[in-house]
Amino acid sequence: MSRTSGNSSNKIKSPLKYYVQYGAKKGQFEYWDGEKAVNFDELEMVLMDDRKCITGYNKKRGKRIISNRVQSVVKEPLCVRCGDDVIAEGMYEQIKDKVVVNGGKFTNELFALAKIDGEFVPVSVCFAGSANGCWIDFLNESGGKFSLYKSVVKAVKGEFKTEGQSEFFTLTFSVDKLPTELDTRANEFNDESLQPYLNQGKVEEVTTA
C-alpha cells in the first residue's frame, strides 16, 4: 500500500450525475436533482457496466443500509453497514440472513448513460427486490449483459402484482437500436471516467445510491 492510498483527497470523485431507483409501489423511477426528488415513467439507457451491492433501510435505527460494490458475490466479500455500524461482513451466502433481517436487499447497480430531460447523462441505476428479479429475467432472456452493450435498453412499469401483504408493479424491458454516436460516447466515458472510478479501492468503495 502506498503512503497516499489512504488519503481521501486522492480518491477519484464519482463521475455519475444522478442515482436512479425504481419505486415498485408506484411503478416510477426516481432521482434526486439536488433540491427535490424527480419522478419519471420510462428509463432509457445505454449500459456500460454493473456491480452487486446491498441497499435498503433499517426502520428501527432510522438509517440506510449500504455496502461496497463487487463484481461477484461468490468471489468477493461484502461489508454491509447500517449508518456507520458494520452489521455483516463476508460472502453473500454466509451473511444474507443477517442482511435481510436488518432491512438490506441484494441489489444490481447498473452504470449507464440514461436519458434525463432529453439528454443522455451518466447515472447509477439500482434494481432491488422485485425490480431486480425482473432485470435478472431480462438478462437471461437476452443472453447476458454483454449482448445488451450494443442496444438502447428501455424499462417501463409492468404488471401489477400482490405477494402476501406487498403490492407492487413489475418492470418490462425492451431494446432499441443504439446510434453510433451514442455508442462512441458510452465507450469513451466508460474508459476515461467510469472504470478508473470503479476500480479504485474496490473493497472500500461504498455505494451512494
Side-chain angles (χ1 to χ4, degrees):
M1 180 180 292
S2 71
R3 291 182 298 109
T4 60
S5 61
N7 188 342
S8 61
S9 64
N10 293 317
K11 295 282 187 178
I12 300 174
K13 293 183 179 180
S14 172
L16 308 169
K17 188 169 184 179
Y18 299 119
Y19 292 85
V20 179
Q21 294 180 327
Y22 179 66
K25 289 185 177 180
K26 295 182 178 180
Q28 287 186 312
F29 294 96
E30 180 182 289
Y31 68 90
W32 182 259
D33 71 355
E35 297 180 354
K36 63 184 184 302
V38 179
N39 296 305
F40 60 105
D41 296 323
E42 180 182 66
L43 176 66
E44 189 173 343
M45 63 181 176
V46 181
L47 183 64
M48 293 182 291
D49 207 342
D50 70 341
R51 293 291 187 273
K52 290 20 171 174
C53 61
I54 304 297
T55 62
Y57 185 77
N58 186 297
K59 293 182 180 180
K60 186 176 181 179
R61 299 188 187 187
K63 295 180 179 180
R64 290 192 309 136
I65 304 292
I66 61 174
S67 82
N68 56 310
R69 301 175 173 116
V70 298
Q71 290 181 303
S72 170
V73 292
V74 299
K75 295 180 179 179
E76 300 172 81
L78 289 163
C79 180
V80 185
R81 296 180 174 88
C82 180
D84 293 329
D85 300 326
V86 175
I87 59 173
E89 192 168 7
M91 296 301 181
Y92 180 67
E93 282 297 319
Q94 299 171 337
I95 65 173
K96 66 178 180 180
D97 290 341
K98 193 170 185 179
V99 167
V100 171
V101 79
N102 277 280
K105 296 180 179 180
F106 181 86
T107 301
N108 265 302
E109 185 177 12
L110 314 181
F111 302 97
L113 295 184
K115 195 172 186 179
I116 305 289
D117 293 330
E119 180 184 358
F120 280 91
V121 296
V123 303
S124 156
V125 181
C126 279
F127 288 142
S130 61
N132 190 41
C134 294
W135 171 249
I136 292 173
D137 289 343
F138 174 65
L139 277 181
N140 292 335
E141 293 168 1
S142 302
K145 70 176 184 180
F146 294 106
S147 66
L148 298 175
Y149 283 160
K150 291 299 181 180
S151 300
V152 175
V153 178
K154 296 182 179 180
V156 296
K157 177 173 68 177
E159 181 183 0
F160 177 76
K161 287 189 174 183
T162 59
E163 289 184 3
Q165 296 182 338
S166 298
E167 297 181 343
F168 58 92
F169 287 94
T170 63
L171 273 173
T172 298
F173 292 93
S174 62
V175 295
D176 204 349
K177 185 177 179 180
L178 175 61
T180 301
E181 181 182 351
L182 191 53
D183 183 31
T184 299
R185 277 188 56 199
N187 287 333
E188 289 177 351
F189 181 84
N190 177 72
D191 294 344
E192 297 172 8
S193 301
L194 180 61
Q195 293 306 320
Y197 167 66
L198 292 178
N199 290 329
Q200 63 172 346
K202 289 183 179 179
V203 174
E204 291 79 9
E205 185 67 35
V206 297
T207 179
T208 54

